[in-house]
Amino acid sequence: GTTVDLGDVAADARSLTWWHGDDGWHLGYIALTPPMLQAGTAVFDLALDSRVLRNRTSGLPMCPTELHQTDAAPLVLFANGLNTTLARLAPTGPTPLLQHPGRLGDLTITRGGDTIAGLTGTRYQPANVHIGPLTGPLRKVTDTRPELDGIALGIQRPLTYRAGDGLELDGLVVLPVGKTAPEGP
């Protein structure tokens, strides 16, 4: 066929996907948001009929990490503090499907789009393959590091604090094994 210039692409574009919506075909990807000095990532959506490029995640308190094609609108994984949100990219914005504790990544979706598999762990267990429906729960199907079973780990507590510029940040306090917060530094 012929080549059509669809315009400039935002920096560090990845996770290319396409879908057909009520208003025609869309091409989407995750990329850095301008200006580069304050860059976070966003999901960009190029409506192919109108050639209008939109940031579909502007103003969200979550950062998109993966975009996945399905038979319907794409799925988006968001880093949501120390946790992960799986959402469908609906015309009005992302519609959350699953709130997952910890990091969920390297997602694979079945052909029918109703089951996912991905790598996830907990603060106390290494990453393993988990599988389940889009809305959860996810079931662990591998045991990659059985030699770590039974090893004592320090208590880990999520916390939130404000940076000097007012930005709210998430962190994790890891206490020494056998210690409690009042006994710590």
Short mmCIF file of all heavy atoms in Angstrom, two decimals, residues 11-51:
data_model
loop_
_atom_site.label_atom_id
_atom_site.label_comp_id
_atom_site.label_asym_id
_atom_site.label_seq_id
_atom_site.Cartn_x
_atom_site.Cartn_y
_atom_site.Cartn_z
N ALA A 11 8.41 11.24 22.75
CA ALA A 11 9.69 10.60 23.04
C ALA A 11 9.52 9.28 23.78
O ALA A 11 8.63 9.13 24.61
CB ALA A 11 10.57 11.53 23.86
N ASP A 12 10.40 8.32 23.48
CA ASP A 12 10.46 7.02 24.13
C ASP A 12 9.16 6.24 23.97
O ASP A 12 8.68 5.59 24.89
CB ASP A 12 10.83 7.18 25.62
CG ASP A 12 11.27 5.86 26.24
OD1 ASP A 12 11.83 5.01 25.53
OD2 ASP A 12 11.03 5.67 27.46
N ALA A 13 8.57 6.29 22.78
CA ALA A 13 7.31 5.59 22.52
C ALA A 13 7.51 4.09 22.58
O ALA A 13 8.52 3.55 22.10
CB ALA A 13 6.76 5.99 21.16
N ARG A 14 6.54 3.38 23.18
CA ARG A 14 6.58 1.92 23.30
C ARG A 14 5.16 1.40 23.52
O ARG A 14 4.23 2.16 23.67
CB ARG A 14 7.49 1.50 24.44
CG ARG A 14 7.02 1.99 25.80
CD ARG A 14 8.06 1.70 26.88
NE ARG A 14 7.61 2.05 28.19
CZ ARG A 14 7.60 3.28 28.70
NH1 ARG A 14 7.99 4.30 27.97
NH2 ARG A 14 7.19 3.50 29.92
N SER A 15 5.01 0.09 23.57
CA SER A 15 3.71 -0.57 23.79
C SER A 15 2.67 -0.17 22.75
O SER A 15 1.53 0.13 23.07
CB SER A 15 3.17 -0.28 25.20
OG SER A 15 3.94 -0.91 26.19
N LEU A 16 3.06 -0.19 21.49
CA LEU A 16 2.17 0.19 20.40
C LEU A 16 0.99 -0.77 20.30
O LEU A 16 1.15 -1.99 20.36
CB LEU A 16 2.95 0.18 19.08
CG LEU A 16 2.20 0.62 17.84
CD1 LEU A 16 1.85 2.09 17.94
CD2 LEU A 16 3.06 0.36 16.61
N THR A 17 -0.20 -0.22 20.16
CA THR A 17 -1.41 -1.03 20.02
C THR A 17 -2.43 -0.26 19.18
O THR A 17 -2.30 0.94 18.99
CB THR A 17 -1.99 -1.40 21.40
OG1 THR A 17 -3.09 -2.29 21.23
CG2 THR A 17 -2.44 -0.18 22.17
N TRP A 18 -3.42 -0.95 18.66
CA TRP A 18 -4.48 -0.29 17.92
C TRP A 18 -5.79 -0.95 18.26
O TRP A 18 -5.85 -2.07 18.75
CB TRP A 18 -4.22 -0.31 16.41
CG TRP A 18 -4.24 -1.67 15.80
CD1 TRP A 18 -5.31 -2.34 15.30
CD2 TRP A 18 -3.11 -2.55 15.65
NE1 TRP A 18 -4.93 -3.57 14.84
CE2 TRP A 18 -3.59 -3.72 15.04
CE3 TRP A 18 -1.76 -2.46 15.96
CZ2 TRP A 18 -2.76 -4.80 14.76
CZ3 TRP A 18 -0.95 -3.53 15.67
CH2 TRP A 18 -1.45 -4.67 15.07
N TRP A 19 -6.89 -0.21 18.01
CA TRP A 19 -8.23 -0.72 18.29
C TRP A 19 -9.23 0.08 17.48
O TRP A 19 -8.94 1.17 16.99
CB TRP A 19 -8.56 -0.66 19.78
CG TRP A 19 -8.67 0.72 20.35
CD1 TRP A 19 -9.82 1.45 20.54
CD2 TRP A 19 -7.60 1.55 20.81
NE1 TRP A 19 -9.51 2.67 21.07
CE2 TRP A 19 -8.17 2.75 21.25
CE3 TRP A 19 -6.22 1.39 20.89
CZ2 TRP A 19 -7.39 3.79 21.76
CZ3 TRP A 19 -5.45 2.42 21.39
CH2 TRP A 19 -6.04 3.60 21.82
N HIS A 20 -10.40 -0.50 17.34
CA HIS A 20 -11.49 0.17 16.62
C HIS A 20 -12.52 0.63 17.65
O HIS A 20 -13.05 -0.17 18.40
CB HIS A 20 -12.14 -0.78 15.61
CG HIS A 20 -13.05 -0.06 14.67
ND1 HIS A 20 -14.37 0.13 14.91
CD2 HIS A 20 -12.79 0.56 13.49
CE1 HIS A 20 -14.92 0.82 13.93
NE2 HIS A 20 -13.96 1.09 13.05
N GLY A 21 -12.76 1.93 17.68
CA GLY A 21 -13.76 2.51 18.56
C GLY A 21 -14.97 2.96 17.77
O GLY A 21 -15.02 2.79 16.54
N ASP A 22 -15.94 3.54 18.46
CA ASP A 22 -17.14 4.04 17.79
C ASP A 22 -16.80 5.11 16.75
O ASP A 22 -17.55 5.31 15.80
CB ASP A 22 -18.12 4.61 18.81
CG ASP A 22 -18.69 3.53 19.72
OD1 ASP A 22 -18.68 2.35 19.32
OD2 ASP A 22 -19.15 3.87 20.84
N ASP A 23 -15.69 5.81 16.94
CA ASP A 23 -15.29 6.90 16.04
C ASP A 23 -14.20 6.49 15.05
O ASP A 23 -13.55 7.34 14.46
CB ASP A 23 -14.84 8.11 16.85
CG ASP A 23 -13.68 7.79 17.78
OD1 ASP A 23 -13.42 6.59 18.01
OD2 ASP A 23 -13.03 8.73 18.27
N GLY A 24 -13.96 5.20 14.88
CA GLY A 24 -12.97 4.73 13.91
C GLY A 24 -11.76 4.09 14.57
O GLY A 24 -11.78 3.75 15.75
N TRP A 25 -10.69 3.95 13.79
CA TRP A 25 -9.47 3.29 14.26
C TRP A 25 -8.60 4.23 15.07
O TRP A 25 -8.50 5.41 14.78
CB TRP A 25 -8.67 2.74 13.08
CG TRP A 25 -9.29 1.50 12.53
CD1 TRP A 25 -10.13 1.40 11.45
CD2 TRP A 25 -9.15 0.18 13.05
NE1 TRP A 25 -10.52 0.11 11.28
CE2 TRP A 25 -9.92 -0.67 12.25
CE3 TRP A 25 -8.46 -0.36 14.13
CZ2 TRP A 25 -10.02 -2.03 12.47
CZ3 TRP A 25 -8.55 -1.73 14.35
CH2 TRP A 25 -9.32 -2.54 13.53
N HIS A 26 -7.95 3.64 16.09
CA HIS A 26 -7.05 4.39 16.97
C HIS A 26 -5.72 3.66 17.04
O HIS A 26 -5.67 2.43 17.01
CB HIS A 26 -7.62 4.47 18.39
CG HIS A 26 -8.85 5.30 18.47
ND1 HIS A 26 -8.85 6.56 18.97
CD2 HIS A 26 -10.14 5.04 18.10
CE1 HIS A 26 -10.07 7.06 18.92
NE2 HIS A 26 -10.87 6.15 18.39
N LEU A 27 -4.66 4.43 17.16
CA LEU A 27 -3.32 3.92 17.37
C LEU A 27 -2.85 4.50 18.70
O LEU A 27 -2.91 5.71 18.91
CB LEU A 27 -2.40 4.39 16.23
CG LEU A 27 -0.98 3.92 16.22
CD1 LEU A 27 -0.93 2.42 16.00
CD2 LEU A 27 -0.22 4.63 15.11
N GLY A 28 -2.45 3.63 19.62
CA GLY A 28 -2.05 4.10 20.94
C GLY A 28 -0.67 3.63 21.32
O GLY A 28 -0.17 2.63 20.78
N TYR A 29 -0.04 4.36 22.24
CA TYR A 29 1.28 4.00 22.74
C TYR A 29 1.54 4.72 24.05
O TYR A 29 0.86 5.68 24.40
CB TYR A 29 2.37 4.31 21.72
CG TYR A 29 2.43 5.76 21.28
CD1 TYR A 29 3.22 6.68 21.96
CD2 TYR A 29 1.70 6.20 20.19
CE1 TYR A 29 3.28 8.01 21.56
CE2 TYR A 29 1.75 7.53 19.78
CZ TYR A 29 2.54 8.43 20.47
OH TYR A 29 2.59 9.73 20.07
N ILE A 30 2.53 4.23 24.79
CA ILE A 30 3.00 4.89 26.00
C ILE A 30 4.27 5.64 25.63
O ILE A 30 5.12 5.12 24.91
CB ILE A 30 3.29 3.87 27.12
CG1 ILE A 30 1.98 3.22 27.57
CG2 ILE A 30 3.99 4.54 28.31
CD1 ILE A 30 2.16 2.14 28.62
N ALA A 31 4.39 6.88 26.12
CA ALA A 31 5.59 7.68 25.84
C ALA A 31 5.77 8.71 26.95
O ALA A 31 4.88 8.90 27.80
CB ALA A 31 5.46 8.38 24.49
N LEU A 32 6.92 9.37 26.93
CA LEU A 32 7.19 10.44 27.88
C LEU A 32 6.34 11.66 27.54
O LEU A 32 6.12 11.96 26.37
CB LEU A 32 8.68 10.82 27.85
CG LEU A 32 9.65 9.75 28.33
CD1 LEU A 32 11.08 10.22 28.11
CD2 LEU A 32 9.42 9.43 29.79
N THR A 33 5.89 12.35 28.57
CA THR A 33 5.10 13.56 28.35
C THR A 33 6.02 14.77 28.30
O THR A 33 6.97 14.85 29.07
CB THR A 33 4.06 13.76 29.46
OG1 THR A 33 4.74 13.79 30.71
CG2 THR A 33 3.03 12.68 29.48
N PRO A 34 5.76 15.70 27.40
CA PRO A 34 6.58 16.91 27.38
C PRO A 34 6.15 17.84 28.51
O PRO A 34 5.01 17.75 28.97
CB PRO A 34 6.26 17.52 26.02
CG PRO A 34 5.01 16.86 25.54
CD PRO A 34 4.82 15.60 26.32
N PRO A 35 6.96 18.75 29.00
CA PRO A 35 8.34 18.95 28.58
C PRO A 35 9.23 17.87 29.19
O PRO A 35 8.94 17.32 30.23
CB PRO A 35 8.69 20.32 29.15
CG PRO A 35 7.83 20.45 30.36
CD PRO A 35 6.56 19.71 30.03
N MET A 36 10.34 17.60 28.54
CA MET A 36 11.20 16.49 28.92
C MET A 36 11.76 16.61 30.33
O MET A 36 12.02 15.61 30.97
CB MET A 36 12.35 16.35 27.93
CG MET A 36 11.88 16.10 26.49
SD MET A 36 10.67 14.77 26.37
CE MET A 36 11.72 13.39 26.69
N LEU A 37 11.92 17.81 30.84
CA LEU A 37 12.49 17.97 32.18
C LEU A 37 11.52 17.50 33.27
O LEU A 37 11.92 17.22 34.38
CB LEU A 37 12.89 19.43 32.43
CG LEU A 37 14.02 19.94 31.54
CD1 LEU A 37 14.27 21.41 31.81
CD2 LEU A 37 15.29 19.13 31.77
N GLN A 38 10.24 17.48 32.98
CA GLN A 38 9.24 17.06 33.96
C GLN A 38 8.51 15.81 33.48
O GLN A 38 7.36 15.59 33.81
CB GLN A 38 8.24 18.19 34.19
CG GLN A 38 8.87 19.45 34.70
CD GLN A 38 7.86 20.58 34.75
OE1 GLN A 38 6.68 20.40 34.56
NE2 GLN A 38 8.35 21.77 35.01
N ALA A 39 9.19 15.01 32.68
CA ALA A 39 8.53 13.92 31.99
C ALA A 39 8.12 12.79 32.92
O ALA A 39 8.89 12.32 33.72
CB ALA A 39 9.43 13.38 30.89
N GLY A 40 6.89 12.40 32.78
CA GLY A 40 6.36 11.15 33.29
C GLY A 40 5.86 10.43 32.05
O GLY A 40 6.03 10.91 30.93
N THR A 41 5.23 9.29 32.21
CA THR A 41 4.70 8.61 31.04
C THR A 41 3.20 8.82 30.95
O THR A 41 2.53 9.10 31.94
CB THR A 41 5.02 7.11 31.06
OG1 THR A 41 4.49 6.53 32.24
CG2 THR A 41 6.51 6.87 30.96
N ALA A 42 2.68 8.68 29.73
CA ALA A 42 1.25 8.84 29.47
C ALA A 42 0.87 7.89 28.35
O ALA A 42 1.72 7.43 27.58
CB ALA A 42 0.93 10.27 29.08
N VAL A 43 -0.42 7.61 28.23
CA VAL A 43 -0.95 6.87 27.10
C VAL A 43 -1.41 7.90 26.08
O VAL A 43 -2.26 8.75 26.39
CB VAL A 43 -2.12 5.95 27.49
CG1 VAL A 43 -2.75 5.32 26.25
CG2 VAL A 43 -1.66 4.88 28.46
N PHE A 44 -0.83 7.84 24.88
CA PHE A 44 -1.23 8.72 23.79
C PHE A 44 -2.09 7.94 22.82
O PHE A 44 -1.83 6.77 22.53
CB PHE A 44 0.01 9.30 23.08
CG PHE A 44 0.75 10.28 23.93
CD1 PHE A 44 1.82 9.86 24.71
CD2 PHE A 44 0.38 11.61 23.95
CE1 PHE A 44 2.51 10.76 25.49
CE2 PHE A 44 1.06 12.52 24.75
CZ PHE A 44 2.13 12.10 25.52
N ASP A 45 -3.13 8.59 22.30
CA ASP A 45 -4.11 7.98 21.41
C ASP A 45 -4.21 8.85 20.16
O ASP A 45 -4.57 10.02 20.25
CB ASP A 45 -5.45 7.90 22.15
CG ASP A 45 -6.63 7.56 21.27
OD1 ASP A 45 -6.43 7.16 20.11
OD2 ASP A 45 -7.76 7.69 21.75
N LEU A 46 -3.88 8.26 19.01
CA LEU A 46 -4.01 8.96 17.74
C LEU A 46 -5.24 8.42 17.03
O LEU A 46 -5.27 7.24 16.64
CB LEU A 46 -2.76 8.73 16.88
CG LEU A 46 -2.80 9.32 15.47
CD1 LEU A 46 -2.89 10.84 15.51
CD2 LEU A 46 -1.58 8.88 14.68
N ALA A 47 -6.28 9.26 16.90
CA ALA A 47 -7.47 8.88 16.15
C ALA A 47 -7.10 8.97 14.67
O ALA A 47 -6.78 10.05 14.17
CB ALA A 47 -8.63 9.80 16.48
N LEU A 48 -7.07 7.83 13.97
CA LEU A 48 -6.55 7.81 12.61
C LEU A 48 -7.40 8.58 11.61
O LEU A 48 -6.86 9.18 10.68
CB LEU A 48 -6.36 6.36 12.15
CG LEU A 48 -5.31 5.58 12.95
CD1 LEU A 48 -5.21 4.16 12.44
CD2 LEU A 48 -3.96 6.26 12.88
N ASP A 49 -8.73 8.62 11.80
CA ASP A 49 -9.58 9.36 10.86
C ASP A 49 -9.34 10.87 10.94
O ASP A 49 -9.25 11.55 9.94
CB ASP A 49 -11.06 9.05 11.10
CG ASP A 49 -11.42 7.63 10.70
OD1 ASP A 49 -10.63 7.00 9.96
OD2 ASP A 49 -12.47 7.14 11.14
N SER A 50 -9.22 11.39 12.16
CA SER A 50 -9.06 12.84 12.34
C SER A 50 -7.60 13.25 12.50
O SER A 50 -7.28 14.42 12.43
CB SER A 50 -9.84 13.30 13.57
OG SER A 50 -9.29 12.70 14.74
N ARG A 51 -6.72 12.27 12.75
CA ARG A 51 -5.30 12.50 13.02
C ARG A 51 -5.09 13.42 14.22
O ARG A 51 -4.16 14.21 14.26
CB ARG A 51 -4.58 13.03 11.79
CG ARG A 51 -4.64 12.03 10.65
CD ARG A 51 -3.45 12.11 9.78
NE ARG A 51 -3.63 11.17 8.68
CZ ARG A 51 -3.41 11.45 7.43
NH1 ARG A 51 -2.96 12.62 7.09
NH2 ARG A 51 -3.58 10.54 6.51
#
